[in-house]
Amino acid sequence: MNNPVFARFYSNVVARGLERGGGPGLRARLLDGLAGTVVEVGAGDGANFRHYPAEVTRVVAVEPEPYLRRRAVASAPHRVEVVDGDAADLPLPDAAADAVVFCLVLCSVDDLPAALAEAARVLRPGGELRLFEHVRAHRPGVLRHVQDALDATVWPRLFGGCHCGRDIAAQVEEAGFTFSELDRFSVPRGSRMPMSPAILGRARRVLPAR
């Protein structure tokens, strides 16, 4: 994926706006309690790296966009390996990760079910999925209609394939994961903008009994 215009916009405008709107605290909550080997899918410019707990010994940060990947490499500490890759084809063996992290990326992946299936593949048994994503409005109403209209017209073209109205929590559950924690809110709090509804959650895949 090569989208340098949007990548610069995201890094210099969107990410900075999130930092001013409580982003550091949300990133810390997203990563709290992780340990061992973590795969971060769509690592962007590496804004999460400084928030990983000391118990995380290795982070494989997958970022397909060259501009963002270069910025991530520049900010990566020694335990973070930044690699090229796709959410639907992660460069890791089966059951290699203690956790998989998605942070503001599932809105723009081409094949969301495939990305979630890949997360399940690389997670060890009992491993955890962590998500911080902007999503479909939490309640039926005007905002959902606005999101649907934008997604069907200009939004993905203007914002690097982003969809502001995806019901990501529902698709995570359809992929076989069960949430142990799921917080629904807006960023910033109380906002009614199309990209404001968000979720922050933890989920594990329920394996069939033998």
Side-chain angles (χ1 to χ4, degrees):
M1 183 183 77
N2 193 337
N3 196 334
V5 175
F6 175 73
R8 285 168 171 79
F9 173 78
Y10 175 84
S11 190
N12 296 313
V13 178
V14 177
R16 289 184 182 181
L18 181 61
E19 291 297 294
R20 294 190 296 270
L26 292 169
R27 294 181 191 278
R29 282 181 58 198
L30 172 69
L31 306 175
D32 181 54
L34 291 179
T37 297
V38 177
V39 179
E40 182 174 345
V41 183
D45 58 6
N48 282 333
F49 294 167
R50 68 181 186 275
H51 298 287
Y52 277 99
E55 292 77 10
V56 173
T57 55
R58 182 189 181 207
V59 178
V60 180
V62 180
E63 176 49 57
E65 209 293 315
Y67 172 79
L68 293 174
R69 190 167 62 248
R70 289 193 297 271
R71 292 194 58 145
V73 168
S75 66
H78 66 89
R79 60 179 172 164
V80 176
E81 176 188 0
V82 181
V83 299
D84 188 8
D86 185 88
D89 187 19
L90 297 175
L92 291 104
D94 295 354
D98 297 290
V100 173
V101 171
F102 291 109
C103 182
L104 302 176
V105 65
L106 290 176
C107 61
S108 60
V109 299
D110 292 333
D111 189 337
L112 184 49
L116 293 170
E118 268 294 271
R121 181 186 69 78
V122 302
L123 277 171
R124 64 167 177 77
E128 196 170 48
L129 192 70
R130 296 286 186 96
L131 306 103
F132 168 38
E133 297 286 346
H134 74 89
V135 296
R136 187 167 180 79
H138 304 312
R139 297 178 182 84
V142 173
L143 186 54
R144 284 191 180 179
H145 293 302
V146 172
Q147 289 177 320
D148 290 342
L150 290 173
D151 282 353
T153 54
V154 299
W155 199 271
R157 295 180 183 180
L158 292 176
F159 296 105
C162 171
H163 296 76
C164 56
R166 284 184 172 175
D167 190 349
I168 290 172
Q171 294 203 48
V172 168
E173 291 175 331
E174 288 173 10
F177 290 89
T178 298
F179 283 99
S180 58
E181 296 181 19
L182 182 61
D183 187 14
R184 299 179 185 270
F185 53 97
S186 295
V187 182
R189 296 280 180 176
S191 173
R192 296 284 295 168
M193 298 296 290
M195 285 184 68
S196 294
I199 58 171
L200 198 156
R202 306 179 180 195
R204 285 189 168 88
R205 194 154 183 258
V206 179
L207 299 177
R210 293 185 177 181

